[in-house]
């Protein structure tokens, strides 16, 4: 079931209404971020500094816990997607993967040694800085950093740069080469920093399937055979892949978070 993301009270009200009619033992939440995932923090379970209107500093977990006295799992939507893919999808059986969603925003979910990566908060790979294409004069869309990855390569950035909706841009439009130029850099950084066994690209923009060969090619070019792993040297198309669970990796991941919470 889908609800539009309206104001927090309305949206969470609908979630509560829905689950009140079900017999639930635990709930797993994969939440759009940034969120507080530090269990010892006073604001654990909050959405923190999101540009989404009305959602900054919302105690999402608190509101839901007030309604249901059951265990809750809580993580970012992208970490949930990475978890779903590692349990049942494209990274099944692997102990590491990076899930990148490219849509209205860009987010990174990361699993290293079978563990979802958290730290001070959680990874924010969507806002890494990439080298600007010399012919790209678009100033960038991110309200915090202007020309970070999300500012240059998210769906809204593409649409504002070209003045056209993503799905109305032809398959051979120069937009996609430029998009692969930026995404490949972030993927390259993820490979160099995290050494993941699989990189999964989801989100609305990645429905442009022509991006995959462009990205493979671009990553290969920049790696320049530096990393001596067969997957990167010979099977790039098996390393950087579509989600195995379509557009519901996050939903599966939330299920896994709920199961973990119940069994904790
Ligand atoms: Zn940014």
């Amino acid at each position: 079931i889908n609800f539009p993301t309206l104001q927090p009270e309305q949206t969470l009200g609908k979630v509560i209404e829905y689950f009140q009619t079900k017999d639930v033992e635990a709930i797993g939440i994969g939440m759009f971020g940034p969120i507080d995932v530090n269990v010892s923090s006073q604001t654990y379970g909050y959405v923190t500094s999101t540009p989404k209107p009305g959602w900054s500093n919302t105690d999402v977990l608190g509101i839901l816990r007030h309604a249901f006295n059951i265990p809750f799992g809580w993580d970012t939507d992208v970490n949930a997607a990475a978890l779903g893919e590692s349990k049942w999808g494209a990274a099944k059986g692997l102990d590491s993967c990076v899930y990148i969603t490219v849509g209205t925003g860009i987010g990174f979910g990361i699993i290293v040694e079978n563990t979802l990566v958290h730290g001070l908060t959680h990874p924010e790979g969507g806002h890494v800085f990439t080298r600007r294409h010399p012919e790209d004069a678009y100033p960038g869309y991110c309200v915090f950093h202007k020309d970070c990855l999300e500012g240059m390569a998210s769906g809204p950035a593409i649409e504002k740069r070209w003045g056209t909706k993503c799905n109305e841009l032809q398959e051979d439009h120069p937009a996609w080469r430029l998009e692969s130029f930026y995404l490949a850099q972030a993927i390259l950084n993820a490979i160099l920093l995290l050494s993941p066994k699989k990189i999964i690209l989801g989100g609305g923009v990645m429905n442009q399937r022509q991006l995959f060969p462009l990205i493979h090619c671009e990553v290969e070019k920049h790696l320049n055979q530096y990393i001596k792993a067969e997957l990167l040297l010979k099977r790039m198309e098996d390393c950087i892949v579509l989600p195995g669970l379509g557009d519901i990796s996050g939903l599966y991941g939330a299920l896994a978070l709920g199961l973990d919470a119940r069994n904790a």
Side-chain angles (χ1 to χ4, degrees):
I1 188 159
N2 285 307
F3 308 121
T5 306
L6 306 169
Q7 291 293 303
E9 308 75 48
Q10 294 164 281
T11 313
L12 295 175
K14 277 195 181 292
V15 172
I16 291 167
E17 230 171 74
Y18 173 78
F19 280 113
Q20 269 167 345
T21 66
K22 313 283 172 203
D23 183 20
V24 282
E25 292 174 40
I27 294 177
I29 304 169
M31 188 71 195
F32 62 80
I35 63 173
D36 191 338
V37 290
N38 177 0
V39 283
S40 60
S41 160
Q42 295 239 321
T43 52
Y44 174 70
Y46 278 58
V47 170
T48 56
S49 54
T50 177
K52 211 160 278 202
W55 283 84
S56 274
N57 301 312
T58 299
D59 183 9
V60 172
L61 193 54
I63 291 167
L64 294 172
R65 273 182 168 160
H66 188 72
F68 303 99
N69 184 25
I70 53 174
F72 276 88
W74 169 255
D75 215 314
T76 61
D77 48 4
V78 266
N79 259 353
L83 183 63
E85 286 293 326
S86 85
K87 284 208 182 286
W88 298 293
K92 191 177 168 189
L94 302 178
D95 61 1
S96 64
C97 71
V98 173
Y99 182 97
I100 306 174
T101 180
V102 189
T104 50
I106 298 183
F108 279 50
I110 300 171
I111 292 181
V112 173
E113 293 177 349
N114 278 321
T115 308
L116 281 168
V117 170
H118 300 121
L120 276 177
T121 62
H122 50 75
E124 281 287 5
H127 296 265
V128 295
F129 289 83
T130 54
R131 203 180 292 170
R132 175 181 282 277
H133 193 284
E135 285 161 27
D136 186 10
Y138 178 63
Y141 179 80
C142 176
V143 291
F144 293 96
H145 321 110
K146 276 203 142 5
D147 62 356
C148 65
L149 178 66
E150 182 169 297
M152 299 305 269
S154 60
I158 300 171
E159 294 182 358
K160 287 215 158 42
R161 181 188 284 112
W162 300 102
T164 310
K165 291 234 170 274
C166 277
N167 52 16
E168 288 167 11
L169 291 165
Q170 296 291 319
E171 225 177 86
D172 58 355
H173 192 279
W176 304 121
R177 199 159 282 282
L178 194 61
E179 182 69 3
S180 68
F181 172 84
Y182 289 117
L183 291 178
Q185 291 183 56
I187 291 166
L188 199 69
N189 290 339
I191 292 171
L192 294 168
L193 279 169
L194 301 161
S195 204
K197 290 176 181 163
K198 197 73 86 174
I199 293 175
I200 300 152
L201 304 179
V205 171
M206 296 316 300
N207 288 328
Q208 304 289 335
R209 299 288 197 261
Q210 70 276 18
L211 278 169
F212 280 85
L214 294 174
I215 289 168
H216 294 150
C217 199
E218 196 75 15
V219 171
E220 205 168 271
K221 186 173 85 189
H222 290 297
L223 268 181
N224 198 19
Q225 303 200 319
Y226 174 64
I227 297 178
K228 303 297 178 208
E230 200 203 316
L231 194 62
L232 296 171
L233 293 170
K234 292 189 184 148
R235 292 187 288 127
M236 192 63 82
E237 68 282 2
D238 293 333
C239 178
I240 301 168
V241 299
L242 278 165
L245 303 170
D247 56 1
I248 54 171
S249 322
L251 208 54
Y252 274 94
L255 175 66
L257 289 171
L259 288 170
D260 285 350
R262 188 193 64 175
N263 300 332

